[in-house]
Amino acid sequence: MSIDSKNIESSLQETRKFAPPADFAANANISSEAQYQAMWQKAKDDPAGFWGELASENLRWSKRWDSVMDQSMPETRWFNGGKINACDNCVDRHAESWRRNKAAIIWEGEPGDTRVLTYQDLHRETSKFANVLKRLGVRSGDRVTLYMPLIPELAIAMLACARLGATHSIIFGGFSSDAVADRNNDAQAKVVVTADAGWRRGKEVLLKQAVDESLAKSPTVEKVVVVRRAGIPVHMATDRDYWWHDLMSDVSSDCECEPVDAEHPLFILYTSGSTGKPKGVLHTTGGYLLGTMMSSRWVFDLKEEDTYWCTADIGWITGHSYVVYGPLANGSTVVMYEGAPNWPHEGRFWEIIEKYRVSIFYTAPTAIRAFIKWGDHWPAKYDLSSLRLLGSVGEPINPEAWMWYHKVIGAERCPIVDTWWQTETGAIMVSPLPGITATKPGSCTQPLPGVVPDIVDQQGNSLPANQGGLLVMRQSWPSMLRTLYGDHDRFKETYFSTIPGCYFAGDGARRDEDGYIWVMGRVDDVLNVAGHRLSTMEVESALVAHPQVAEAAVVGFPHDIKGEGICCFVTTKSGEGNESLERDLIQHVRKHIGALATPDKIKFAAALPKTRSGKIMRRLLRDIAAGRESAGDTTTLEDYSVLAKLRENDEG
Ligand code: WTA
């Protein structure tokens, strides 16, 4: 993989430090530095002892494992020989306890409808839907695609898959029918669960229609289950499509959890890598569950009486790990909201916090920047005094956004946990522990117990303080991805070949003089747009599939709200471009990937700047997209006039 040092050099000077409030520290799940140090050291020196104890104490196993961890990376196995079921741990054991009438999910739809599911309700619904899936022919090991709005049925369907040992593959509702077809094919999905439509800013997102289009191109899918959410008319194919409520009306609510191997695939989640083809990140059961459960408790300081809200869509890893598996394994009360933060008004999130007395709130910097733009009068209208902890995830949080979050939302009272992790890591890796870590705005601070990070140069040598390098993990952790579905070679190549013996995250970072980690962003060709990962190659492949496009290069540029925007440089076959083609290309990319990949800028160019060996010089394009002078070396540029032309066009 080629690594570009575009982000490694940036050096942020931030010296403010915020100690945890004393009353928070006194009651925190991890409450002293000494406790953290002892845990971290034990997890490093004796990972089997550390994780084995936690697994016995915190999870319900049908059969104990033979060994806690078997091999070093990349062929890691955790709790080998153990038998467990994720749904049993997230639902049944709570439904059997005093928690049976505790709210598991407090859900609010965008139009304002609400539902509360207790652990007992969740137990009944997941059992019934597991029986529905069985009736449709789903067996342990089969793949089921979930392409749904953020409604309780999505959590129910995930847990029902887990109940049977079927592997779910959730596709975020913002992806297009082409993206659904690609993912169905890659996973060889047997059943798709969807809805007629979801709600987004008062408009219907036509999910069933997209599924219909995708099925023409994904032949492995035999059955489709449709939740009636929006109540709009949809096409229902005979003997293929069934309404959720019809199927649920006459199934039994008895369905045993199927004990599966600890290493049994729990889910596949597609994410963007540095090539055009999305990667099917595969997570297994025992280690993933333990990792998400313990990190939820340590980082969010989850207590029995908390009302916890993570605003992520379940279609992303944050939703998998911190809306569903982590908090439910802990028996927590989780708030879910279906829609947009600015619908019907820009105070919707604060209204929800006030209404349900949310105590823990976990969101993304891109949302925080939008809140800042919408104005302080929105949060000021609501009572946010129930909040005690704030979290951030998905991209580096800029210090201004951090300070705003701290002052305006947290009233300078709530610790902020800036959590660094990835689809691949399954669980939070680097984050403050809210009772002990003095936070610095913009730094995700320190590794959790069990996480052994390093910052290295391209030869794998550890770098001293304040020198930017590659972020790697030196030791395996329980919730690590196990493979890329159907492509184990790509798995090894992507994560373990850059720095032999280490997991390479794809991010650049530095450690400061206090040992705090500052993540600076991706060093590969992955964009982070509004906290969502997109590969530049993915957008380029979509563009060159258009009949009028000859060549395309896509780069990110700094964007006030989204963090990174998408800028496309396009050479057309005719050599010309105009506004109507621009609109057409934007639609074309949306159709191929989805609305989340909508280009912010299309720049037509007669030619793209290339090296003599024909490689597109993205660094120069990034400078142009950002409106910067190119500081770096241009001596390998093949044709200087190309660059001058691009800048001229830009000014015009
Ligand atoms: C970035 C999201 C800085 C990083 C959970 C990573 C972050 C990618 C942070 C993973 C953070 C995530 N500070 N950067 N707190 N959290 N990132 O797979 O570049 O959607 O590699 O997982 O997001 O994105 P993914």
Side-chain angles (χ1 to χ4, degrees):
M1 183 203 301
S2 74
I3 295 167
D4 186 323
S5 56
K6 65 171 162 151
N7 291 309
I8 304 189
E9 287 144 27
S10 69
S11 88
L12 199 65
Q13 287 307 323
E14 176 59 59
T15 50
R16 286 171 289 197
K17 216 167 168 174
F18 297 85
D23 52 336
F24 192 104
N27 298 304
N29 291 344
I30 296 183
S31 59
S32 76
E33 180 66 22
Q35 185 189 358
Y36 161 71
Q37 287 298 343
M39 287 167 80
W40 193 84
Q41 205 59 46
K42 174 156 185 187
K44 177 168 183 282
D45 299 341
D46 175 21
F50 179 80
W51 290 109
E53 248 167 59
L54 290 176
S56 311
E57 280 166 20
N58 295 291
L59 293 175
R60 181 154 87 176
W61 297 83
S62 315
K63 176 177 169 286
R64 199 180 159 84
W65 52 90
D66 303 323
S67 63
V68 175
M69 61 184 293
D70 265 7
Q71 292 171 55
S72 56
M73 298 185 292
E75 308 302 332
T76 276
R77 295 180 77 81
W78 285 84
F79 306 107
N80 212 17
K83 294 246 183 221
I84 189 166
N85 184 285
C87 186
D88 181 49
N89 276 278
C90 291
V91 179
D92 293 41
R93 61 176 173 153
H94 306 310
E96 288 161 23
S97 78
W98 68 266
R99 291 194 188 98
R100 67 176 61 88
N101 286 316
K102 177 176 176 174
I105 296 173
I106 299 178
W107 174 83
E108 180 155 318
E110 192 183 76
D113 44 341
T114 59
R115 276 165 73 189
V116 177
L117 280 93
T118 63
Y119 276 96
Q120 196 161 228
D121 295 332
L122 204 51
H123 179 253
R124 185 185 58 247
E125 298 303 308
T126 54
S127 302
K128 283 172 67 178
F129 196 64
N131 279 330
V132 164
L133 289 173
K134 263 196 219 167
R135 200 196 272 179
L136 297 178
V138 175
R139 299 286 173 265
S140 181
D142 287 345
R143 272 82 53 219
V144 176
T145 291
L146 311 179
Y147 179 61
M148 300 171 75
L150 188 44
I151 54 178
E153 285 81 358
L154 174 50
I156 293 166
M158 295 166 84
L159 292 161
C161 287
R163 205 169 178 87
L164 297 179
T167 302
H168 57 73
S169 161
I170 305 185
I171 305 174
F172 172 61
F175 281 109
S176 68
S177 61
D178 286 356
V180 175
D182 289 348
R183 286 157 175 75
N184 279 341
N185 288 334
D186 192 80
Q188 306 254 295
K190 196 166 182 179
V191 167
V192 174
V193 186
T194 188
D196 52 356
W199 291 109
R200 191 77 189 170
R201 292 196 182 86
K203 292 207 182 69
E204 295 104 351
V205 181
L206 304 179
L207 299 172
K208 175 60 166 65
Q209 188 184 312
V211 168
D212 290 340
E213 287 165 21
S214 76
L215 290 191
K217 291 176 245 165
S218 45
T220 61
V221 176
E222 296 166 14
K223 305 284 181 198
V224 178
V225 183
V226 188
V227 178
R228 182 173 279 152
R229 165 65 190 132
I232 59 164
V234 289
H235 167 72
M236 296 291 279
T238 318
D239 295 332
R240 189 196 73 188
D241 300 350
Y242 304 88
W243 287 108
W244 173 290
H245 56 266
D246 286 343
L247 296 171
M248 291 287 268
S249 68
D250 64 346
V251 282
S252 148
S253 55
D254 280 330
C255 178
E256 290 290 305
C257 287
E258 168 110 11
V260 297
D261 289 337
E263 283 295 341
H264 183 78
L266 179 62
F267 65 86
I268 302 169
L269 181 56
Y270 288 87
T271 189
S272 295
S274 48
T275 68
K277 187 172 175 280
K279 311 182 280 196
V281 168
L282 184 107
H283 282 287
T284 58
T285 308
Y288 171 80
L289 205 56
L290 186 62
T292 54
M293 182 178 183
M294 297 323 301
S295 55
S296 300
R297 199 181 292 173
W298 296 333
V299 174
F300 300 121
D301 193 50
L302 268 184
K303 301 277 177 18
E304 198 67 70
E305 58 275 21
D306 274 312
T307 300
Y308 162 92
W309 183 20
C310 163
T311 66
D313 193 285
I314 293 178
W316 306 111
I317 190 66
T318 307
H320 284 61
S321 301
Y322 297 108
V323 176
V324 180
Y325 289 112
L328 294 184
N330 281 294
S332 301
T333 296
V334 173
V335 172
M336 277 185 200
Y337 166 60
E338 176 188 29
N342 55 350
W343 191 266
H345 56 75
E346 285 152 355
R348 188 72 188 266
F349 274 19
W350 321 124
E351 184 179 61
I352 291 174
I353 290 175
E354 177 183 277
K355 180 171 175 187
Y356 299 108
R357 312 284 307 143
V358 169
S359 56
I360 302 171
F361 179 64
Y362 188 32
T363 196
T366 185
I368 297 170
R369 290 189 296 263
F371 301 143
I372 297 174
K373 192 174 128 206
W374 295 337
D376 294 5
H377 57 289
W378 283 112
K381 284 196 351 198
Y382 300 93
D383 176 6
L384 305 182
S385 63
S386 57
L387 289 171
R388 66 180 195 92
L389 176 68
L390 303 174
S392 169
V393 60
E395 57 181 306
I397 178 166
N398 44 311
E400 305 80 69
W402 196 102
M403 286 307 299
W404 183 89
Y405 202 26
H406 172 67
K407 285 194 177 137
V408 179
I409 305 306
E412 301 184 32
R413 173 175 44 83
C414 304
I416 295 181
V417 289
D418 173 4
T419 62
W420 177 88
W421 58 295
Q422 308 178 292
T423 304
E424 292 87 342
T425 68
I428 296 170
M429 302 291 276
V430 182
S431 167
L433 292 169
I436 60 167
T437 313
T439 47
K440 300 183 190 180
S443 169
C444 53
T445 75
Q446 287 170 326
L448 296 194
V451 176
V452 186
D454 201 358
I455 290 160
V456 300
D457 64 17
Q458 308 231 352
Q459 284 69 48
N461 305 306
S462 299
L463 290 170
N466 289 320
Q467 214 165 306
L470 309 177
L471 179 60
V472 298
M473 298 298 148
R474 293 209 174 269
Q475 207 165 287
S476 159
W477 63 99
S479 64
M480 185 179 111
L481 82 163
R482 297 300 194 267
T483 191
L484 293 176
Y485 190 74
D487 200 347
H488 200 60
D489 287 342
R490 187 175 175 202
F491 161 75
K492 288 190 282 193
E493 161 72 23
T494 308
Y495 305 106
F496 300 95
S497 71
T498 310
I499 308 294
C502 290
Y503 167 85
F504 168 51
D507 281 345
R510 74 179 164 95
R511 219 169 350 206
D512 70 14
E513 53 291 344
D514 295 331
Y516 280 31
I517 293 175
W518 299 74
V519 172
M520 295 151 179
R522 305 288 305 191
V523 293
D524 52 16
D525 293 328
V526 176
L527 302 177
N528 192 328
V529 179
H532 302 150
R533 274 165 70 170
L534 263 182
S535 129
T536 52
M537 294 268 291
E538 222 171 324
V539 183
E540 284 164 13
S541 332
L543 285 168
V544 296
H546 188 280
Q548 279 168 264
V549 173
E551 195 172 33
V554 171
V555 296
F557 68 95
H559 187 286
D560 286 351
I561 305 289
K562 296 196 277 188
E564 219 170 358
I566 304 174
C567 178
C568 310
F569 291 88
V570 174
T571 321
T572 58
K573 288 182 182 155
S574 66
E576 280 160 25
N578 54 36
E579 261 174 44
S580 115
L581 181 60
E582 181 175 336
R583 276 194 301 273
D584 201 30
L585 290 179
I586 290 174
Q587 279 315 313
H588 180 78
V589 173
R590 288 171 64 105
K591 177 168 185 319
H592 268 260
I593 306 174
L596 71 168
T598 309
D600 295 282
K601 299 183 190 171
I602 301 241
K603 291 178 182 289
F604 293 106
L608 297 174
K610 290 191 186 154
T611 62
R612 285 181 196 120
S613 61
K615 215 169 160 268
I616 293 173
M617 296 185 78
R618 293 169 180 284
R619 184 170 44 81
L620 299 183
L621 293 178
R622 275 196 292 267
D623 288 339
I624 294 170
R628 282 189 301 258
E629 278 300 309
S630 296
D633 180 26
T634 51
T635 50
T636 49
L637 188 63
E638 184 214 21
D639 177 0
Y640 284 94
S641 65
V642 166
L643 204 59
K645 268 267 167 38
L646 280 170
R647 289 201 186 280
E648 255 168 47
N649 289 352
D650 205 33
E651 280 148 20

